[in-house]
Amino acid sequence: MSHRVFRDAHGIPHLRADGPRALAFAQGHNAATDRAWQLEVERHRAQGSSAAFLGPESLSWDVLARRVRLADTARRCFAALDRSTAGWVLAYVDGVNAGLAEHARNAPEFAAAGLRPGEWKPWTPLAVWLSHHLLFAGFPAKLWRERVARELGPDAVELFATDGPGSSGSNGWLLAGERTATGAALIAGDPHRFIEAPGIYQQIRLACPEYDVVGIAVPGVPGLAHFGHTGGVAWAITNAMADYQDLYRERLRRTGDGVEALGPDGWRPAHAHTETVHVAGGDPVTVEVLETARGPVLTGGPDGEAISLRYPPRVRAKLGFEALPALLRARTVADVDRAMDHWAEPVNIVLAADTAGGLLHRTAGAVPLRDPANGLGPVPGRDAAYAWRGWRAPLREPVAGRAVMANQRGIAAPLGVEFSAPHRARRIAELLDARQGWTADTVTDVHTDTHLGSAGPLLDLVAGLDGLTPSAAALRARLLGWDRRMAADSADAAAYAALRSAVVRELAAHPVFAGLAALPELPEVLLPWQALLPRIGYALESLLTTDRLPGLDPPASVRAALERVAAGPLPGSWAETHRLAPWQALPAPAEWPGLGGDHDCVLSTSSVPGLTDLSARGPAARYVWDLADRANSRWVVPFGASGLPGHPHHRDQLPLWLAGRLAPVTTDWNQLTEELPAMTDFRRTVPGFGEVRLRPLDPAGDAELVHGWVTQERARFWGMLDHDRAAVQETYAYVDSLTTHHAWLALRDGEPIALFQTYRPEHDPVGDCYPVQDGDHGVHLLIGPADGESRPGFTEALIAVLIAFALDDPAHRRIVAEPDARNEKALNRLVRSGFELGPEIDKPEKRARLAFLTREAAAPILARLSPASGSGV
């Protein structure tokens, strides 16, 4: 599929193609170009095979992915897609597969991990999406809430009902035209996620005759699910913090026929099979995969207590991918609204605005109707009272001047149980209301605000303390004079953070929490939701002001913590300890920068109070969409466009991100640099013969030439004697649409002399006729000029160049040819060129003779050619 790639000053890809499917192919190919290592890590995580090269630390995730049947759910969801959407996704996958092997050779992580890139399946993008968002709804928190209710009583559960250690949020705000300088709407924000290197978000532009969209994509997933600007309409999302995953306590038993589960209708057969998870540096692990009528079994089994997970994509075989191509075609908020009706996972809050003044504020995603108890903890699987009874309709609110979304209890309140504290949302609203005439430049000030709204309860307790030692009294005075900004260079912010952590540790050591101190026996990947210290850190405001826990004395804990902190050395600034700590599949030594901000700041760079000041979560991107002029929009990501270490655009946006600045969104194609495809030209010079060049065949432009060749009697073995010009063009247009088969025109000193075709045998009928080896590369050759074969040395020289071309890719270990068994000229020509003849095979169109040339056997031929000139493959 033909497409063109342009880059801006930051290396951000701008892709152009002739249609939506060709553009989807281009997006997949670009993802493989820029993020090959990242794509393969995500593919393995989605299918539960990452421990095979990342080692034991990834085992718990792999087991979870197998048990909840992520890959199988993705298969189901892909199979349920409408034909158009499925074809569009498949084109993206074809693009990934077409570029992955080539660009993986440039990524040093593959060699370091001993990994070779594999093949993406049609459903892999859906599995990647599921993998990213399985834990977004925080179902492990239900196990925590159950423990709290058991140890502290049901009333205590609400004390911890806030954005937990494992969840991710976002900021987003919409300013209607009456609040901006241009009279057109602005949408801005930043998604908060675990920061990964390479980043989970990729800036990109997707353009074809049907649409031209800029936005932020997820590598491995086609389209722009979360953030985009089509020119006529723009949209953005935050996590709605909805509760849409349920846990069921199951009774299972083994029978002679397998496993049964007790449900509302009695004992019923459960699905059961085993899978093996391979572990680098460890023994393989056998996983029993069980599934009841409620859902896959998350923990336990027939030999003890079991808990199953019910989640909407598994139940409905719908992930929402139908919305993705519809969003790209959107022109108005009504179009975005209709597209979001398809959305399923995760549940989001959507803001959108268009150039006609249309505004949208709604929820999108699948939330089941069921008993309120389902949201609080595991419920009995055998009780029909806890079954799902349909789906909630989306919620909508009008936009009066502005709308703010920051994971707070707001429009989505009926859909969830735990939400983020309201501080970020209140602060954003306060800042937006403080002025008029907002522009794309000034609205970025909101992104980096460091005021900490949650500091009040702790500082109020500090203010009430007396009888302190001199050092504690001095620290008390200092904190009470602090401006409550978590600025990177602030020593007072560092002192506050030190005190906060000390208070968290004091509270966690209190006997009232003793029953929650030990971690339960759960898969390691679920334990962050069960750890006491982070839970207390994020619920600190509630715990410092509650009277629901008898024996707890918050002022005493604050006093003890203040004295302890005052007696020791304090960091000179908040940034000394509050440093970026991104996740990397292969950890590498790095000196990551210090940060401003904090969990409840608009600049939400989250640490875990009491445990660490390091920040693993933060703004995974920032954006401003200007509806007055898309070219005035802005964006930034933490690192850069390329995932390749050492690449100029690997981390070139990090200084901007740290400073709170955004890069311009370039929309003028004349300001971009075209990136020429790697396979546009291949040249070799043969002494005494001339320069041979291969270029991709142009199905339309070369149709007349090729038609003249393939319809001559001497080309009868090519099988196209009866083709007219239109049929020849149609045939090679089809070949051009494939990612596994390619057609090339060979030119000698500029004169066309041959038609050369290459293909992957495992994706060709010939692959069913012999045992394909890893690295096999198939070829066909038709010499064009009628007298070509009779010219002395002509055939040998041409074939030498074609062999060099076929073996230019180090992944190609052996050339495979399969001429008609009756074509003695072709067979003799191959033997003279070093090929070894194989058996005859029966193909649908002919009886053929296999011939093979290994890289080793070709070495003498390659040694006679001159080094490459021009660009190579």
Short mmCIF file of all heavy atoms in Angstrom, two decimals, residues 303-330:
data_model
loop_
_atom_site.label_atom_id
_atom_site.label_comp_id
_atom_site.label_asym_id
_atom_site.label_seq_id
_atom_site.Cartn_x
_atom_site.Cartn_y
_atom_site.Cartn_z
N ASP A 303 -9.57 -26.46 44.37
CA ASP A 303 -9.03 -26.98 45.62
C ASP A 303 -9.14 -25.99 46.78
O ASP A 303 -8.61 -26.23 47.87
CB ASP A 303 -7.56 -27.36 45.41
CG ASP A 303 -7.40 -28.35 44.27
OD1 ASP A 303 -8.25 -29.26 44.16
OD2 ASP A 303 -6.45 -28.19 43.48
N GLY A 304 -9.79 -24.87 46.56
CA GLY A 304 -9.96 -23.87 47.61
C GLY A 304 -10.88 -22.79 47.12
O GLY A 304 -11.63 -22.96 46.16
N GLU A 305 -10.82 -21.62 47.78
CA GLU A 305 -11.68 -20.52 47.37
C GLU A 305 -11.24 -19.97 46.02
O GLU A 305 -10.06 -19.91 45.71
CB GLU A 305 -11.62 -19.41 48.42
CG GLU A 305 -12.52 -18.25 48.12
CD GLU A 305 -12.40 -17.15 49.18
OE1 GLU A 305 -11.46 -16.36 49.08
OE2 GLU A 305 -13.25 -17.13 50.09
N ALA A 306 -12.20 -19.59 45.21
CA ALA A 306 -11.90 -19.02 43.89
C ALA A 306 -12.67 -17.71 43.72
O ALA A 306 -13.77 -17.54 44.27
CB ALA A 306 -12.26 -19.99 42.77
N ILE A 307 -12.08 -16.80 42.96
CA ILE A 307 -12.72 -15.53 42.63
C ILE A 307 -12.67 -15.35 41.12
O ILE A 307 -11.59 -15.47 40.51
CB ILE A 307 -12.03 -14.35 43.33
CG1 ILE A 307 -12.18 -14.47 44.85
CG2 ILE A 307 -12.62 -13.02 42.85
CD1 ILE A 307 -11.47 -13.38 45.62
N SER A 308 -13.81 -15.07 40.52
CA SER A 308 -13.86 -14.84 39.08
C SER A 308 -14.04 -13.36 38.80
O SER A 308 -14.51 -12.59 39.65
CB SER A 308 -15.00 -15.63 38.44
OG SER A 308 -16.26 -15.19 38.92
N LEU A 309 -13.64 -12.95 37.60
CA LEU A 309 -13.72 -11.56 37.15
C LEU A 309 -14.70 -11.47 36.00
O LEU A 309 -14.58 -12.20 35.01
CB LEU A 309 -12.34 -11.07 36.70
CG LEU A 309 -12.30 -9.70 36.02
CD1 LEU A 309 -12.65 -8.59 37.01
CD2 LEU A 309 -10.93 -9.45 35.40
N ARG A 310 -15.65 -10.58 36.12
CA ARG A 310 -16.59 -10.32 35.03
C ARG A 310 -16.32 -8.93 34.50
O ARG A 310 -16.37 -7.94 35.24
CB ARG A 310 -18.03 -10.44 35.54
CG ARG A 310 -19.10 -10.41 34.43
CD ARG A 310 -20.45 -10.82 35.00
NE ARG A 310 -21.53 -10.83 34.02
CZ ARG A 310 -21.77 -11.81 33.16
NH1 ARG A 310 -20.99 -12.89 33.18
NH2 ARG A 310 -22.77 -11.75 32.30
N TYR A 311 -15.99 -8.83 33.20
CA TYR A 311 -15.70 -7.52 32.62
C TYR A 311 -16.37 -7.42 31.26
O TYR A 311 -16.49 -8.42 30.53
CB TYR A 311 -14.20 -7.26 32.56
CG TYR A 311 -13.34 -8.20 31.75
CD1 TYR A 311 -12.81 -7.82 30.53
CD2 TYR A 311 -13.00 -9.47 32.23
CE1 TYR A 311 -11.99 -8.66 29.80
CE2 TYR A 311 -12.18 -10.32 31.52
CZ TYR A 311 -11.67 -9.91 30.29
OH TYR A 311 -10.86 -10.75 29.57
N PRO A 312 -16.85 -6.22 30.90
CA PRO A 312 -17.75 -6.08 29.75
C PRO A 312 -17.23 -6.63 28.43
O PRO A 312 -17.99 -7.28 27.71
CB PRO A 312 -17.99 -4.57 29.69
CG PRO A 312 -17.92 -4.13 31.11
CD PRO A 312 -16.80 -4.97 31.70
N PRO A 313 -15.98 -6.39 28.02
CA PRO A 313 -15.58 -6.93 26.72
C PRO A 313 -15.68 -8.45 26.65
O PRO A 313 -15.96 -9.00 25.58
CB PRO A 313 -14.12 -6.46 26.58
CG PRO A 313 -14.03 -5.26 27.44
CD PRO A 313 -14.93 -5.54 28.61
N ARG A 314 -15.47 -9.11 27.77
CA ARG A 314 -15.59 -10.57 27.79
C ARG A 314 -17.04 -10.99 27.65
O ARG A 314 -17.35 -12.01 27.02
CB ARG A 314 -15.01 -11.12 29.10
CG ARG A 314 -14.94 -12.64 29.18
CD ARG A 314 -13.86 -13.17 28.29
NE ARG A 314 -13.84 -14.63 28.22
CZ ARG A 314 -13.23 -15.32 27.28
NH1 ARG A 314 -12.57 -14.68 26.32
NH2 ARG A 314 -13.25 -16.62 27.27
N VAL A 315 -17.93 -10.19 28.22
CA VAL A 315 -19.36 -10.53 28.21
C VAL A 315 -19.98 -10.20 26.86
O VAL A 315 -20.76 -10.98 26.30
CB VAL A 315 -20.09 -9.76 29.33
CG1 VAL A 315 -21.59 -9.98 29.25
CG2 VAL A 315 -19.56 -10.20 30.69
N ARG A 316 -19.64 -9.03 26.29
CA ARG A 316 -20.33 -8.53 25.10
C ARG A 316 -19.56 -8.71 23.80
O ARG A 316 -20.11 -8.49 22.73
CB ARG A 316 -20.62 -7.03 25.26
CG ARG A 316 -21.37 -6.66 26.53
CD ARG A 316 -21.90 -5.25 26.49
NE ARG A 316 -20.96 -4.29 25.91
CZ ARG A 316 -21.30 -3.10 25.42
NH1 ARG A 316 -22.58 -2.74 25.42
NH2 ARG A 316 -20.40 -2.28 24.95
N ALA A 317 -18.28 -9.12 23.90
CA ALA A 317 -17.42 -9.19 22.72
C ALA A 317 -17.38 -7.85 21.99
O ALA A 317 -17.36 -7.78 20.77
CB ALA A 317 -17.86 -10.31 21.78
N LYS A 318 -17.38 -6.76 22.76
CA LYS A 318 -17.31 -5.42 22.20
C LYS A 318 -16.28 -4.62 22.98
O LYS A 318 -16.34 -4.54 24.21
CB LYS A 318 -18.66 -4.72 22.27
CG LYS A 318 -19.73 -5.32 21.37
CD LYS A 318 -21.03 -4.53 21.48
CE LYS A 318 -22.10 -5.11 20.57
NZ LYS A 318 -23.37 -4.35 20.68
N LEU A 319 -15.35 -4.03 22.24
CA LEU A 319 -14.31 -3.23 22.86
C LEU A 319 -14.44 -1.75 22.51
O LEU A 319 -13.86 -0.90 23.16
CB LEU A 319 -12.94 -3.75 22.42
CG LEU A 319 -11.71 -3.35 23.22
CD1 LEU A 319 -11.89 -3.63 24.70
CD2 LEU A 319 -10.49 -4.10 22.70
N GLY A 320 -15.24 -1.46 21.48
CA GLY A 320 -15.44 -0.07 21.10
C GLY A 320 -14.63 0.37 19.90
O GLY A 320 -14.61 1.56 19.56
N PHE A 321 -13.94 -0.57 19.23
CA PHE A 321 -13.08 -0.17 18.11
C PHE A 321 -13.87 0.39 16.94
O PHE A 321 -13.30 1.07 16.08
CB PHE A 321 -12.22 -1.35 17.67
CG PHE A 321 -10.89 -1.42 18.36
CD1 PHE A 321 -10.79 -1.20 19.72
CD2 PHE A 321 -9.73 -1.71 17.66
CE1 PHE A 321 -9.56 -1.25 20.38
CE2 PHE A 321 -8.50 -1.76 18.30
CZ PHE A 321 -8.41 -1.53 19.66
N GLU A 322 -15.16 0.12 16.87
CA GLU A 322 -15.97 0.72 15.80
C GLU A 322 -15.96 2.25 15.88
O GLU A 322 -16.19 2.93 14.88
CB GLU A 322 -17.41 0.21 15.87
CG GLU A 322 -17.59 -1.27 15.61
CD GLU A 322 -17.43 -2.11 16.85
OE1 GLU A 322 -16.97 -1.59 17.89
OE2 GLU A 322 -17.75 -3.31 16.79
N ALA A 323 -15.70 2.77 17.07
CA ALA A 323 -15.65 4.23 17.23
C ALA A 323 -14.42 4.85 16.57
O ALA A 323 -14.44 6.02 16.20
CB ALA A 323 -15.67 4.59 18.72
N LEU A 324 -13.35 4.07 16.42
CA LEU A 324 -12.08 4.66 16.01
C LEU A 324 -12.11 5.23 14.59
O LEU A 324 -11.73 6.39 14.38
CB LEU A 324 -10.96 3.64 16.17
CG LEU A 324 -10.76 3.12 17.61
CD1 LEU A 324 -9.60 2.14 17.66
CD2 LEU A 324 -10.52 4.27 18.57
N PRO A 325 -12.51 4.47 13.57
CA PRO A 325 -12.59 5.10 12.23
C PRO A 325 -13.65 6.18 12.16
O PRO A 325 -13.51 7.14 11.40
CB PRO A 325 -12.90 3.92 11.31
CG PRO A 325 -13.45 2.85 12.18
CD PRO A 325 -12.81 3.03 13.52
N ALA A 326 -14.73 6.04 12.96
CA ALA A 326 -15.77 7.07 12.96
C ALA A 326 -15.25 8.39 13.51
O ALA A 326 -15.61 9.47 13.03
CB ALA A 326 -16.98 6.59 13.76
N LEU A 327 -14.39 8.34 14.51
CA LEU A 327 -13.81 9.57 15.06
C LEU A 327 -12.95 10.28 14.02
O LEU A 327 -12.96 11.51 13.93
CB LEU A 327 -12.99 9.25 16.30
CG LEU A 327 -13.77 8.96 17.58
CD1 LEU A 327 -12.83 8.45 18.68
CD2 LEU A 327 -14.51 10.20 18.07
N LEU A 328 -12.21 9.53 13.24
CA LEU A 328 -11.36 10.15 12.22
C LEU A 328 -12.19 10.90 11.19
O LEU A 328 -11.75 11.91 10.63
CB LEU A 328 -10.50 9.09 11.54
CG LEU A 328 -9.49 8.36 12.43
CD1 LEU A 328 -8.77 7.28 11.64
CD2 LEU A 328 -8.49 9.33 13.04
N ARG A 329 -13.42 10.42 10.94
CA ARG A 329 -14.28 11.05 9.93
C ARG A 329 -15.14 12.17 10.51
O ARG A 329 -15.87 12.84 9.77
CB ARG A 329 -15.21 9.99 9.32
CG ARG A 329 -14.49 8.90 8.56
CD ARG A 329 -15.49 7.96 7.89
NE ARG A 329 -14.81 6.91 7.13
CZ ARG A 329 -14.55 5.70 7.60
NH1 ARG A 329 -14.94 5.37 8.82
NH2 ARG A 329 -13.93 4.81 6.84
N ALA A 330 -15.06 12.39 11.82
CA ALA A 330 -15.95 13.34 12.48
C ALA A 330 -15.71 14.76 11.98
O ALA A 330 -14.57 15.18 11.74
CB ALA A 330 -15.76 13.28 13.99
#
